Amino acid sequence: MRVEIVPNEPAILLRGRMRILLVADLHIGMVQFYDKKIIEKLKRLAEDVKADEIIVLGDLKHRIGKFSRVGKLFDCFEIPLAVVKGNHDGGLEDFEVFSSRGITIGNVGLFHGHAKPSDDVMQSKTMIFAHAHPSILIPDNVGGSKKRIWLFGEFEGKKVIVMPAFNDLCASTAVNVERPAGILFKSWDYRCADVLLLDGTYLGKVELLKPSHLL
């Protein structure tokens, strides 16, 4: 299974026998007037990369409980859409939902990040997860701004990729200021991870990106 970052998008294309578009943290329903824009963007992206299937790597929706409206919003999709269960994904009746412990596709393990992944996922060559909403704080004259980022690193001999949130209105954690949320961050030394902006700009390793160093 080949892992490709989609240029300028918070998305991954898994290429094997099928082309699987991977996104995370849509948080549909967080700001309802913005939902349509998120869904239109995802639909257009799936068409652009010629995806055969979409997998949402957790937190398709924002409300913790049942949210019946979310299924109707995705009626316009002509390809399958599945969800690896995130901490906000209770009551999803209109989608194929995988365990929060994750799934494997070929040599790639996928999980949301809030719960301990399965042994199969942990033994994968590459692990991809979300949940942390990673960003970088870039200081300026008014205190600074956050930009969504990718994290690329290694954990126990395996490649690790942390996905940015697809919904750009989500609150984020600046990894150069504080430790992100998520089960793997409790044992993974993410400070050695590489940081890339969505446009592919390489910023360096987390441990070298203290706000004072970016002035």
Side-chain angles (χ1 to χ4, degrees), residues 85-104:
K85 191 174 182 180
N87 52 306
H88 284 249
D89 288 327
L92 286 177
E93 300 174 350
D94 299 310
F95 303 90
E96 181 180 10
V97 179
F98 297 107
S99 166
S100 60
R101 298 197 69 193
I103 60 171
T104 59

Side-chain angles (χ1 to χ4, degrees), residues 47-67:
E47 292 170 350
D48 289 345
V49 301
K50 299 179 173 59
D52 298 304
E53 181 181 0
I54 299 169
I55 296 180
V56 178
L57 204 54
D59 289 355
L60 171 70
K61 64 185 183 67
H62 187 66
R63 298 181 186 177
I64 300 294
K66 185 176 179 180
F67 182 33

Side-chain angles (χ1 to χ4, degrees), residues 46-203:
E47 292 170 350
D48 289 345
V49 301
K50 299 179 173 59
D52 298 304
E53 181 181 0
I54 299 169
I55 296 180
V56 178
L57 204 54
D59 289 355
L60 171 70
K61 64 185 183 67
H62 187 66
R63 298 181 186 177
I64 300 294
K66 185 176 179 180
F67 182 33
S68 58
R69 175 172 171 262
V70 71
K72 297 177 182 178
L73 291 172
F74 287 88
D75 285 344
C76 60
F77 285 76
E78 298 178 356
I79 60 175
L81 190 150
V83 181
V84 176
K85 191 174 182 180
N87 52 306
H88 284 249
D89 288 327
L92 286 177
E93 300 174 350
D94 299 310
F95 303 90
E96 181 180 10
V97 179
F98 297 107
S99 166
S100 60
R101 298 197 69 193
I103 60 171
T104 59
I105 301 178
N107 56 8
V108 179
L110 307 173
F111 63 107
H112 179 58
H114 69 299
K116 183 180 179 180
S118 68
D119 291 341
D120 287 345
V121 170
M122 290 297 295
Q123 292 168 8
S124 300
K125 182 178 179 181
T126 300
M127 295 193 299
I128 303 175
F129 67 98
H131 181 60
H133 304 183
S135 66
I136 194 82
L137 177 65
I138 299 178
D140 55 32
N141 293 332
V142 293
S145 60
K146 291 182 178 181
K147 293 187 180 295
R148 286 178 293 171
I149 59 168
W150 294 92
L151 288 178
F152 295 89
E154 291 188 1
F155 177 74
E156 297 182 348
K158 296 172 283 291
K159 294 181 180 179
V160 173
I161 302 175
V162 186
M163 297 190 67
F166 193 80
N167 187 335
D168 58 343
L169 296 185
C170 287
S172 65
T173 299
V175 300
N176 58 334
V177 175
E178 57 184 321
R179 180 185 296 273
I183 190 73
L184 205 66
F185 285 103
K186 294 180 179 180
S187 52
W188 174 41
D189 187 4
Y190 71 97
R191 296 171 300 173
C192 296
D194 294 309
V195 176
L196 273 75
L197 298 177
L198 266 61
D199 66 4
T201 301
Y202 176 65
L203 297 182

